[in-house]
Amino acid sequence: MELSLNGKTALVTGGSRGIGRFIAVTLADLGADVTITYVSSADAANEVKAEIESKGRRAKAIQADAVSYEKAERVISEITADWEKLDILVNNAGITRDNLILRMNEEQWDEVIDTNLKSVFNYSKAAAKPMMRNRGGSIINISSVVGLSGNAGQSNYAASKAGIIGFTKSYAKELASRSIRANVVAPGYITTEMTGELDDNILEGIKEETPLGRPGEAEEVAHTVAFLASDLSSYITGEIIRVDGGLAM
Amino acid sequence: MSQDVESKVKAIIVDKLGVDEEEVTHEANFTNDLGADSLDTVELIMEFEKEFDISIPDEDAENIATVGNAVEYLQDKV
């Protein structure tokens, strides 16, 4: 038995950088045609698109923020118009605006909840119709171990990532009868631009707390996403898989 | 034309819900009489949209609960 995504089409939100980029490329490696969305990094998005095409897969890079439902619907319509169907949706787009609760302003709260949580509703809702028509689909929502255990200075981020878990389980229950699966991947500390902003002391602490003794690599998250996207995970829905070196166990 | 809409609508309902044609009366309610679950009704709307090449907004879809509702709505739009 082989992990293959041949003949499948995928959408990865926030796919130009960080973990999303590795997810997009990994899905293409396994045979999927992949669309990525991005907000500001057009050059990076075009690089990812070119990389996917160099593997002989079809690719699109569409500029669309994750916050507007109308845009989400437009992105998904474009995919189904050109590629006929959407099999895999990876809700990956996310930002941080860290601050202690006592110092956090409304804007920091709203921005994170909108980008990280509302976006998951937008794209998952817009994807439901084509997936229902297609009699199946796999949605993978990227949460975080912070959504399971909380983190001082990240109440907005933790709330958005915990919210994703409740949403995903509800979605999994609502759409299970149409063979649409929805699961959560909860990464721990992964080496990306986002965690690159952390200072050395914090990074040392993470290494000490993580049983596997090192930060994770984005590919390691992408491998788990690929498994959940594939038919190898056909009996798994509403599940949370931590990819965190044991950090949150 | 209006007869045409009605027969197309009924054919879609028979096909989607797996019910007998005689059951699909004007008054039949999708959920209570024809055994549709909530996703079935969403799928019916999607099928109507496809068959008649129109877009049915959610506000309108909520008011389409019976075969008659659907036929009248679609006759109006097509």
Side-chain angles (χ1 to χ4, degrees):
Chain A
M1 174 141 285
E2 194 187 330
L3 206 172
S4 164
L5 300 176
N6 281 332
K8 292 188 190 285
T9 63
L11 166 61
V12 181
T13 68
S16 65
R17 297 186 299 164
I19 294 174
R21 176 181 191 136
F22 283 92
I23 292 171
V25 171
T26 301
L27 297 182
D29 268 332
L30 293 166
D33 297 320
V34 183
T35 296
I36 61 166
T37 63
Y38 66 96
V39 178
S40 54
S41 18
D43 289 349
N46 284 323
E47 268 175 39
V48 178
K49 181 172 180 271
E51 193 176 344
I52 293 166
E53 284 167 344
S54 76
K55 298 173 190 299
R57 310 315 325 170
R58 292 181 290 183
K60 290 173 182 289
I62 304 175
Q63 188 187 24
D65 71 54
V67 179
S68 140
Y69 177 72
E70 200 202 322
K71 275 190 191 155
E73 207 168 44
R74 226 184 304 146
V75 168
I76 286 173
S77 300
E78 185 179 329
I79 295 169
T80 52
D82 293 351
W83 295 351
E84 282 172 19
K85 59 180 184 147
L86 178 67
D87 300 294
I88 300 158
L89 165 64
V90 183
N91 281 303
N92 163 78
I95 56 166
T96 54
R97 296 287 181 268
D98 296 354
N99 215 339
L100 294 172
I101 292 166
L102 287 170
R103 295 208 184 102
M104 185 174 295
N105 60 38
E106 271 185 273
E107 198 187 332
Q108 290 171 320
W109 174 267
D110 289 342
E111 223 182 316
V112 169
I113 298 294
D114 280 355
T115 306
N116 298 7
L117 181 57
K118 189 182 173 196
S119 63
V120 174
F121 163 74
N122 288 341
Y123 279 88
S124 303
K125 180 183 172 185
K129 281 188 184 180
M131 286 184 174
M132 280 167 80
R133 238 177 242 129
N134 200 25
R135 292 277 146 193
S138 177
I139 295 186
I140 300 105
N141 295 326
I142 308 301
S143 176
S144 164
V145 289
V146 163
L148 298 169
S149 50
N151 199 20
Q154 291 198 301
S155 58
N156 49 0
Y157 186 75
S160 72
K161 294 301 187 180
I164 286 173
I165 292 170
F167 175 82
T168 306
K169 289 180 176 178
S170 307
Y171 192 96
K173 287 182 174 176
E174 281 191 23
L175 289 149
S177 65
R178 299 320 193 253
S179 301
I180 300 172
R181 300 183 294 113
N183 292 289
V184 170
V185 172
Y189 288 96
I190 307 296
T191 311
T192 64
E193 291 141 68
M194 205 189 261
T195 53
E197 291 162 18
L198 298 170
D199 67 47
D200 288 351
N201 276 343
I202 294 177
L203 270 179
E204 267 316 301
I206 290 163
K207 281 185 195 166
E208 266 172 40
E209 284 170 41
T210 302
L212 285 179
R214 62 173 176 87
E217 298 297 327
E219 288 98 328
E220 296 178 293
V221 177
H223 293 160
T224 307
V225 172
F227 166 68
L228 289 171
S230 79
D231 296 336
L232 287 187
S233 61
S234 51
Y235 203 50
I236 301 179
T237 194
E239 183 58 285
I240 306 163
I241 301 185
R242 288 184 292 109
V243 182
D244 68 346
L247 178 68
M249 73 176 143
Chain B
M1 178 68 194
S2 65
Q3 200 56 43
D4 200 33
V5 169
E6 185 163 353
S7 59
K8 279 180 179 170
V9 166
K10 288 188 171 174
I12 288 171
I13 295 167
V14 167
D15 179 50
K16 269 280 146 200
L17 302 181
V19 290
D20 289 335
E21 222 178 311
E22 306 85 74
E23 292 178 73
V24 187
T25 60
H26 202 72
E27 295 74 30
N29 182 292
F30 298 133
T31 315
N32 300 334
D33 302 319
L34 302 176
D37 68 18
S38 50
L39 284 183
D40 288 328
T41 55
V42 175
E43 284 189 323
L44 275 180
I45 298 293
M46 283 161 58
E47 285 300 317
F48 296 150
E49 289 181 322
K50 198 170 132 199
E51 177 69 36
F52 298 102
D53 197 22
I54 56 167
S55 169
I56 304 174
D58 289 345
E59 310 88 88
D60 292 353
E62 280 166 21
N63 296 322
I64 302 176
T66 66
V67 177
N69 292 156
V71 170
E72 279 153 27
Y73 180 84
L74 291 164
Q75 280 173 343
D76 209 40
K77 294 279 166 185
V78 177

